Amino acid sequence: DIQMTQSPSTLSASIGDRVTITCRASQSISSWLAWYQQKPGKAPKLLIYKASNLESGVPSRFSGSGSGTEFTLTFSCLQPDDFAIYTCQQYDSYPRTFGQGTSVEVK
Amino acid sequence: QVQLVQSGAEVKKPGASVKVSCKASGYTFGSYDINWVRQAAGQGLEWMGWMNPNSGNTGYSEKFQARVSMTRDNSITTAFMELSGLQSDDTAIYYCMRRLPELEFDSWGQGTLVTVSS
């Protein structure tokens, strides 16, 4: 199985900050990576697919990059609505696997 | 709009089975795979398997292979996930998702809490 490792596990940031989360795959997954946002008590929501493509309706302050084994999710200017848990997921192969999640918290 | 609506919370005893439903609307049900994941309290997402509503073909995580079954009833555009041999560590929220080629999981159900307790 492909292992997905995110860092950091928790990130404290302020409104307006530029924030980056990293996701590493244990083997190459080309660009088959998705990022999800999850708020308490809610289902995850797709933000980014195929490593760098913004899902419809997702604000342009989110961006994704990377290929192979290293990927990043960046918030250009953190907004109050962005405090949540962010999880990466590979879909290069089955079984699908997820990172452990990064909690973005208020500093 | 695309909607996946799951059945309500369940409380089961150890050793029992649970069957969670996922009713799809707003798109052609047979066109896209339905996947299931679960999430224990405070934990990450754990993928369980997929089902193609058109063919009925399935693929399961090795972890659940022996005790999970994913089925569908196309007449009511509903997918089902049944998990048997429940233990306390199966207590989790179970989600169904639609998988779009290249986009992956673009639509999610609201989740179903399954509690296993004696």
Side-chain angles (χ1 to χ4, degrees), chain A residues 57-105:
Chain A
V58 173
S60 58
R61 64 180 179 274
F62 291 94
S63 64
S65 65
S67 66
T69 62
E70 190 145 336
F71 302 85
T72 59
L73 173 68
T74 300
F75 311 64
S76 61
C77 182
L78 201 64
Q79 297 299 301
D81 192 48
D82 300 341
F83 294 101
I85 295 174
Y86 294 85
T87 303
C88 62
Q89 178 234 327
Q90 66 81 19
Y91 54 109
D92 178 75
S93 62
Y94 287 104
R96 301 303 203 232
T97 47
F98 294 84
Q100 80 278 16
T102 295
S103 178
V104 177
E105 301 178 345

Side-chain angles (χ1 to χ4, degrees), chain B:
Chain B
Q1 76 283 19
V2 174
Q3 270 198 305
L4 299 174
V5 179
Q6 298 183 222
S7 49
E10 302 261 14
V11 179
K12 296 292 183 181
K13 294 201 181 303
S17 297
V18 69
K19 191 170 186 177
V20 179
S21 67
C22 171
K23 179 167 176 61
S25 60
Y27 72 100
T28 302
F29 179 59
S31 295
Y32 305 107
D33 291 353
I34 294 289
N35 283 238
W36 293 84
V37 300
R38 74 179 188 180
Q39 186 172 40
Q43 303 299 308
L45 297 161
E46 183 174 34
W47 182 81
M48 299 180 70
W50 63 267
M51 181 206 60
N52 182 288
N54 191 40
S55 64
N57 289 345
T58 57
Y60 303 137
S61 164
E62 268 191 44
K63 176 174 179 177
F64 301 104
Q65 176 82 36
R67 61 190 187 103
V68 73
S69 178
M70 295 178 187
T71 57
R72 87 290 191 207
D73 183 338
N74 290 345
S75 68
I76 54 172
T77 64
T78 299
F80 301 93
M81 187 282 299
E82 184 168 22
L83 189 64
S84 62
L86 292 170
Q87 299 300 322
S88 57
D89 60 359
D90 290 315
T91 295
I93 297 173
Y94 290 75
Y95 292 102
C96 64
M97 308 91 75
R98 181 179 81 160
R99 187 183 76 83
L100 253 57
E102 303 222 344
L103 270 72
E104 199 65 345
F105 306 136
D106 75 316
S107 297
W108 293 62
Q110 82 277 18
T112 297
L113 175 62
V114 175
T115 302
V116 183
S117 173
S118 55

